[in-house]
Amino acid sequence: MIRLVIISAAALVAAAGGACAETPLERGDYLVNAFMACDGCHTPRPGGEFNMAKRFSGGTQVWDEKAYTVRGSNITPDRETGIGAWSADDLKRVLTEGVRPSGVHLAPQMPFVFYRILTPRDLDAVVAYLGAAAPIDNKVPPPVYKAETHAVPIPNAQAQWADEALHDPLKRGFYLSTISHCMECHSRRPDGTQDYANWYGKGGFEFTGPFGSVAARNITSHPTKGLGGWTDAEIKRALTHGVGRDGRAFKPPMARQIYFSKATDDDLDALVAWVRSIPPLE
């Protein structure tokens, strides 16, 4: 079973960028619910609305691609149908390497390349939080792999970061944007190819779904094509309220205000600083 690490009060560390001490469970709660958006794949959403009574039990979201057919898996601590029989190290390996205890490599829908950056403290915190979730018996059909899959590594995030790095606001902004897998959408060419070298933040890929169609926006610092002309307040409003500069509501997958609205002011400032640092592309 996933083992929760109990840390004494003397071992509590200050939150990166803040003075308030957090337990691992509290830190994991914050990371998962403000940035990592695990619900997007792992919480059933019949009719388009998350069923939080069955949170993390998987099964609704399906990706049927040429190389694989996979579903959002059950990541609750249920021993038979979830991950309750896994060790903490098993879960850490899945999160950062995309490899199940059986040795099976996961499809890139699991954003493990974005989670490689998780600091030791934060990785422990996420494991603690998932281990504390309610176990739900829900058997999800196993994945079917038809060809070898390949996940493109994220520049400057190929390995675990040190906890101390998060004290720098700009680095923390990059870190938080990475575990939020922002560039999974915004660095995708119109043909769907991930291109972090030449297309970083440029957007352009069109997503389709029950919501219709929407193209990923240019979030570079370009003054007209990107967000360079936006104020800090407009960028924060987009993140926390899910609306553009003109007030129009975002469509999925960018309607993530249910997550970013939970971020602290310091972390929102760090995200804005990161956006400002993205080289302009047109």
Side-chain angles (χ1 to χ4, degrees), residues 168-280:
D168 178 275
L170 183 57
K171 289 181 179 178
R172 190 166 76 254
F174 172 77
Y175 176 86
L176 295 173
S177 73
T178 300
I179 66 171
S180 300
H181 28 101
C182 297
M183 289 304 179
E184 185 176 13
C185 295
H186 293 286
S187 291
R188 194 180 298 224
R189 291 178 175 272
D191 65 358
T193 303
Q194 298 283 6
D195 186 352
Y196 302 115
N198 306 297
W199 210 266
Y200 193 79
K202 186 175 178 178
F205 179 73
E206 188 171 296
F207 293 85
T208 58
F211 50 82
S213 63
V214 61
R217 201 192 194 289
N218 184 330
I219 62 168
T220 73
S221 57
H222 192 280
T224 57
K225 302 296 184 181
L227 303 183
W230 291 35
T231 66
D232 290 1
E234 287 170 337
I235 296 173
K236 290 179 186 179
R237 181 173 175 238
L239 292 170
T240 60
H241 289 75
V243 294
R245 199 179 191 188
D246 58 4
R248 285 187 294 179
F250 292 150
K251 295 180 180 180
M254 190 52 212
R256 289 168 60 98
Q257 62 271 20
I258 61 171
Y259 301 108
F260 290 128
S261 62
K262 298 178 177 70
T264 65
D265 288 340
D266 283 347
D267 282 346
L268 287 171
D269 287 339
L271 283 169
V272 171
W274 166 73
V275 168
R276 300 284 188 217
S277 75
I278 302 172

Side-chain angles (χ1 to χ4, degrees), residues 11-84:
L12 294 177
V13 294
C20 179
E22 296 171 300
T23 65
L25 193 58
E26 290 168 339
R27 178 65 176 172
D29 184 326
Y30 179 65
L31 294 171
V32 170
N33 292 307
F35 301 103
M36 295 172 69
C38 303
D39 293 296
C41 294
H42 296 286
T43 296
R45 46 180 168 182
E49 297 293 330
F50 289 127
N51 181 354
M52 301 305 279
K54 296 185 177 181
R55 193 178 192 199
F56 298 153
S57 63
T60 299
Q61 287 71 269
V62 182
W63 292 268
D64 191 6
E65 307 290 341
K66 290 182 179 179
Y68 49 81
T69 299
V70 297
R71 291 168 171 79
S73 58
N74 185 338
I75 58 170
T76 75
D78 183 75
R79 290 190 63 84
E80 300 301 323
T81 64
I83 58 174

Side-chain angles (χ1 to χ4, degrees), residues 4-17:
L4 302 184
V5 180
I6 300 175
I7 298 183
S8 67
L12 294 177
V13 294

Side-chain angles (χ1 to χ4, degrees), residues 1-4 25 56 75-77 125-135:
M1 187 171 186
I2 297 174
R3 297 183 293 274
L4 302 184
L25 193 58
F56 298 153
I75 58 170
T76 75
V126 172
V127 169
Y129 182 74
L130 293 178

Side-chain angles (χ1 to χ4, degrees), residues 84-107:
W86 295 14
S87 70
D89 286 340
D90 289 335
L91 184 50
K92 289 178 182 180
R93 190 180 184 206
V94 162
L95 285 167
T96 61
E97 300 178 35
V99 181
R100 295 174 66 91
S102 63
V104 171
H105 289 255
L106 300 183

